[in-house]
Amino acid sequence: MKYFGKVAAAVLAASLLAGCSSSPGSSSGAAGEVTTQTALESAQSAYQQWRNKVVSAEALQRYSPDKYSAMMASWQRADALLKAMQLSPESAQQSYSLFSSETNLERFYADIRLVEQHYKQLKALKKVADDVLEPAMVQVAYLNSIDANAYYRSEFVRLNRFYDRLFALVQAGDLNDAQDEQKEFLERAHSLEVRVIKRIYIAPEEEALRELKNNDVRFYAPASYARVEAEIAAGKSLIDLSPRAFDAINQAVSAIQFELAHARHIAGEVKSLRDLSRDEYEEYILGIEDRLLTISQSLSDEDLRDMPLASQAEHIQQGVVKLRRLPGAPEPLPASHDRLENLHLMLKQQHAQISELQQQLSQLTSSPESTSQQ
């Protein structure tokens, strides 16, 4: 307020100088013009001082919408008055209204003082609220960062109303109530966070599973389909416990995608098998055996075709493990290591595929439909 006191003193000094002038006419008129100009320059300075603060104060609206609205109303009046006085300097000393003894200049400074008053009150509320409601504010910032509003708009809107109520309690001085209600708010916000993360990471895989179901994969490969369901359930449980463990969540999604691809592949194999006549079963199984023979010969130049298919796959897998555990064996080059890892993975997949196909073949061989194709 010292600033406004200096302005008033400057305006008063200019008025006294004008009153002490002994020259009539043009001299007193010039002094009046100087006085008005000085007053408007001082008003412009006050305006500029607050303009940047008001422009950057929008974030304070959250702390008290009423005080923010009152501040902006005062500012808009001050802005309009200054522009009018600059267009018509003589209006500075005219009455603000028929029902007021204030001049336009006095009214301008009154509004600037109101702007200052509301601004300081908002800043004081901000300091308290930022301390009391810090957990809620951090959680809301995180929900905004994952675009929760785009996934669950209605729930996000309701949560924001709850959020506003916390600030209203702080404004009213009910800090204990604000802290108590913040606990419920955080529970609801966490629930929304979990739903959003599931929507982002798990929902696309659930949609892919529905497509498999529509394509009868559940009928052709029920065990593989069930594994996809189990991986999805595991992914959801992980998100329930740790919705921000994104490395683990991405690994869970990769596991789901692997099982989806596997189920799709197995269903295709089973469907092809069901379309075969019994006379074509041998050729189909020999095709699987040829693939295992290629692997075994590449690994150890062995021909394992005198063993059952499952035993061939198991023998090859054990050979890979022994090769990697040989004492004194040099460390494999990265590329060789990658090839062994890929071979090991391929063998595991082949072993699982053989087991499933044998089960399907056994069922088909014993089914009435199979008997009729003989």
Side-chain angles (χ1 to χ4, degrees):
M1 300 306 293
K2 292 181 180 179
Y3 177 83
F4 300 117
K6 291 179 180 179
V7 171
V11 173
L12 178 60
S15 299
L16 290 173
L17 286 173
C20 292
S21 175
S22 59
S23 301
S26 62
S27 297
S28 61
E33 290 176 5
V34 171
T35 301
T36 301
Q37 183 63 31
T38 301
L40 289 179
E41 287 175 359
S42 298
Q44 177 66 31
S45 179
Y47 176 89
Q48 288 298 120
Q49 178 188 356
W50 281 98
R51 183 179 182 279
N52 292 336
K53 291 183 180 180
V54 171
V55 169
S56 61
E58 186 175 358
L60 297 176
Q61 184 173 5
R62 171 72 71 180
Y63 298 92
S64 175
D66 293 340
K67 290 185 184 300
Y68 179 81
S69 295
M71 181 182 73
M72 293 307 297
S74 296
W75 175 253
Q76 288 164 5
R77 281 195 305 269
D79 178 71
L81 279 168
L82 181 63
K83 289 176 180 176
M85 289 187 293
Q86 288 174 333
L87 287 174
S88 179
E90 67 276 6
S91 66
Q93 301 303 328
Q94 293 175 357
S95 295
Y96 173 66
S97 71
L98 294 174
F99 307 100
S100 173
S101 60
E102 286 182 310
T103 64
N104 288 321
L105 186 62
E106 290 170 336
R107 179 69 257 180
F108 167 82
Y109 279 115
D111 282 321
I112 291 294
R113 285 193 295 272
L114 287 173
V115 169
E116 180 181 20
Q117 175 185 332
H118 293 309
Y119 183 83
K120 288 182 176 179
Q121 290 172 347
L122 285 166
K123 294 290 283 187
L125 283 172
K126 180 181 186 303
K127 184 177 181 180
V128 176
D130 285 355
D131 180 48
V132 174
L133 302 180
E134 181 182 7
M137 296 173 75
V138 170
Q139 182 65 30
V140 167
Y142 182 73
L143 288 175
N144 285 324
S145 74
I146 61 176
D147 207 10
N149 185 45
Y151 294 99
Y152 294 100
R153 179 172 176 78
S154 296
E155 187 169 345
F156 187 79
V157 169
R158 288 195 295 272
L159 192 66
N160 261 287
R161 293 196 189 109
F162 196 167
Y163 190 50
D164 289 338
R165 190 162 75 241
L166 297 179
F167 285 92
L169 288 171
V170 172
Q171 181 184 353
D174 300 328
L175 301 187
N176 289 334
D177 290 344
Q179 289 175 323
D180 289 340
E181 294 213 17
Q182 182 175 216
K183 296 174 184 177
E184 180 185 348
F185 172 86
L186 291 173
E187 290 177 2
R188 288 173 55 177
H190 176 77
S191 176
L192 178 58
E193 176 187 340
V194 168
R195 290 181 63 190
V196 170
I197 298 301
K198 285 182 180 178
R199 181 77 171 269
I200 293 171
Y201 287 92
I202 303 297
E205 312 313 325
E206 289 181 314
E207 179 60 31
L209 182 63
R210 280 191 289 272
E211 290 181 9
L212 292 188
K213 184 177 181 181
N214 293 337
N215 291 328
D216 294 328
V217 171
R218 190 174 188 177
F219 171 73
Y220 288 117
S224 298
Y225 187 92
R227 279 201 293 272
V228 180
E229 291 182 313
E231 290 293 349
I232 287 177
K236 286 182 173 180
S237 296
L238 171 62
I239 292 173
D240 285 333
L241 292 174
S242 305
R244 302 187 190 184
F246 292 110
D247 287 342
I249 292 170
N250 281 316
Q251 290 176 11
V253 171
S254 295
I256 295 169
Q257 291 172 342
F258 178 89
E259 294 299 343
L260 281 166
H262 181 250
R264 193 178 294 109
H265 160 65
I266 291 297
E269 294 286 352
V270 172
K271 187 175 182 181
S272 297
L273 185 59
R274 291 177 66 89
D275 291 338
L276 296 176
S277 67
R278 188 168 185 178
D279 293 337
E280 295 174 304
Y281 288 169
E282 181 182 14
E283 181 181 354
Y284 189 88
I285 298 300
L286 287 174
I288 296 174
E289 189 176 56
D290 285 342
R291 293 196 289 274
L292 287 175
L293 178 61
T294 300
I295 297 172
S296 65
Q297 289 183 332
S298 298
L299 180 64
S300 57
D301 200 25
E302 287 185 292
D303 187 342
L304 306 174
R305 287 179 295 170
D306 57 340
M307 298 180 180
L309 292 178
S311 297
Q312 291 183 40
E314 181 66 27
H315 186 82
I316 293 171
Q317 183 176 347
Q318 290 174 359
V320 172
V321 173
K322 288 178 181 178
L323 181 63
R324 296 177 61 187
R325 293 179 179 175
L326 282 176
E331 289 294 326
L333 295 173
S336 301
H337 179 75
D338 291 342
R339 285 197 294 272
L340 286 173
E341 288 289 348
N342 292 335
L343 179 60
H344 188 64
L345 179 60
M346 182 168 61
L347 285 171
K348 288 179 67 177
Q349 295 173 3
Q350 191 75 57
H351 189 276
Q353 180 184 358
I354 289 169
S355 298
E356 291 200 33
L357 289 176
Q358 285 182 328
Q359 291 175 9
Q360 294 290 339
L361 184 58
S362 176
Q363 294 173 4
L364 288 170
T365 303
S366 61
S367 68
E369 179 183 353
S370 173
T371 305
S372 66
Q373 292 179 346
Q374 297 181 20

